[in-house]
């Protein structure tokens, strides 16, 4: 079984997508980036082109134990409008598999009907596009199998939290130490 599926659509936020992929791979987990189109090349919100590992048609959704949806615009909106992505979100949620998202990404979970009032965080202002209300003013929020992060600068923390959820707190601390995250405390 593969550990994490990362959906990419044109307009994804590069920091949010690639930081989480990097952190998860540092932990030794198997991550695959997946383009929702029939081409591997995906263009980020800041015009960075990446080659996704696979296209949507090349994957078996049941091969993954967790899913990650980065934010960015129009990336998150493109994901939200894709019926296959919404079906995958619902399948993962029905199976209680981990679903993580950040920034504008919670709008995808909202469109799929799996986000709950007061049990998520998002980029400030994104809540105005959602049916659910009361986002928490926290870097990362965990509600059962749903994990949300607030925004770009917090992608590294979301990645470390995913390592904790998918492996262990000890492994998350090891990865955080290797990234020198404890050194940030003197700047905050």
């Amino acid at each position: 079984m593969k550990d994490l599926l990362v959906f990419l659509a044109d307009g994804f936020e590069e920091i949010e997508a690639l930081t989480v992929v990097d952190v998860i791979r540092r932990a030794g987990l198997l991550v695959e980036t997946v383009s929702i189109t029939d081409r591997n090349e995906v263009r980020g919100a800041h015009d960075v082109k990446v080659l996704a590992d696979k296209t949507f048609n090349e994957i078996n959704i049941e091969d993954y134990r967790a899913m990650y949806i980065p934010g960015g615009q129009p990336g998150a909106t493109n994901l939200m409008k894709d019926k296959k992505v919404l079906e995958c979100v619902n399948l993962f949620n029905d199976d209680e598999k981990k679903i993580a998202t950040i920034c504008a990404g919670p709008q995808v979970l909202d469109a799929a009907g799996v986000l709950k009032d007061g049990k998520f965080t998002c980029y400030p202002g994104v809540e105005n596009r959602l049916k659910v209300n009361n986002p928490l003013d926290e870097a990362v929020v965990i509600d059962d199998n749903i994990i949300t992060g607030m925004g770009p600068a917090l992608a590294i923390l979301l990645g470390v939290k995913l390592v904790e959820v998918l492996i262990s707190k000890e492994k998350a601390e090891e990865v955080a130490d290797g990234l020198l995250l404890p050194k940030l405390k003197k700047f905050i």
Side-chain angles (χ1 to χ4, degrees):
M1 174 139 315
K2 297 166 188 168
D3 297 300
L4 186 66
L5 159 67
V6 180
F7 279 127
L8 297 179
D10 284 334
F12 72 92
E13 173 55 57
E14 295 93 342
I15 290 173
E16 295 166 359
L18 301 177
T19 299
V20 169
V21 169
D22 180 282
V23 170
I24 297 298
R25 286 185 177 166
R26 285 173 190 259
L29 293 170
L30 181 56
V31 179
E32 288 186 336
T33 56
V34 176
S35 168
I36 65 166
T37 68
D38 60 356
R39 58 183 165 69
N40 289 81
E41 184 177 283
V42 188
R43 185 180 301 268
H46 301 97
D47 212 28
V48 175
K49 294 180 203 172
V50 300
L51 289 177
D53 298 313
K54 297 195 174 182
T55 63
F56 195 95
N57 294 329
E58 296 174 320
I59 65 166
N60 177 355
I61 199 70
E62 297 192 17
D63 289 347
Y64 302 89
R65 65 186 187 112
M67 170 194 305
Y68 174 57
I69 297 171
Q73 288 298 345
T77 298
N78 290 336
L79 291 171
M80 178 183 74
K81 291 180 178 179
D82 191 293
K83 289 181 181 177
K84 295 181 296 186
V85 171
L86 297 179
E87 287 173 10
C88 289
V89 168
N90 279 300
L91 284 170
F92 269 62
N93 194 58
D94 290 348
D95 290 343
E96 298 179 359
K97 291 182 176 182
K98 303 299 181 195
I99 305 169
T101 188
I102 194 167
C103 195
Q107 68 187 21
V108 178
L109 304 189
D110 186 60
V114 303
L115 205 59
K116 297 177 193 160
D117 284 337
K119 304 272 184 157
F120 69 99
T121 191
C122 61
Y123 192 86
V126 169
E127 71 275 7
N128 298 328
R129 299 181 222 153
L130 306 177
K131 295 177 218 130
V132 296
N133 299 298
N134 304 317
L136 300 174
D137 185 20
E138 295 180 23
V140 177
V141 173
I142 298 178
D143 178 42
D144 296 324
N145 65 311
I146 306 291
I147 305 160
T148 53
M150 189 176 273
L154 302 165
I156 200 162
L157 297 178
L158 179 63
V160 170
K161 186 53 80 174
L162 279 169
V163 171
E164 180 180 329
V165 167
L166 295 173
I167 301 177
S168 69
K169 185 171 182 70
E170 294 75 25
K171 186 65 171 181
E173 289 171 357
E174 176 187 318
V175 171
D177 288 345
L179 292 166
L180 302 179
L181 283 180
K183 300 280 186 199
L184 287 176
K185 289 181 183 178
K186 68 180 177 181
F187 293 106
I188 299 173

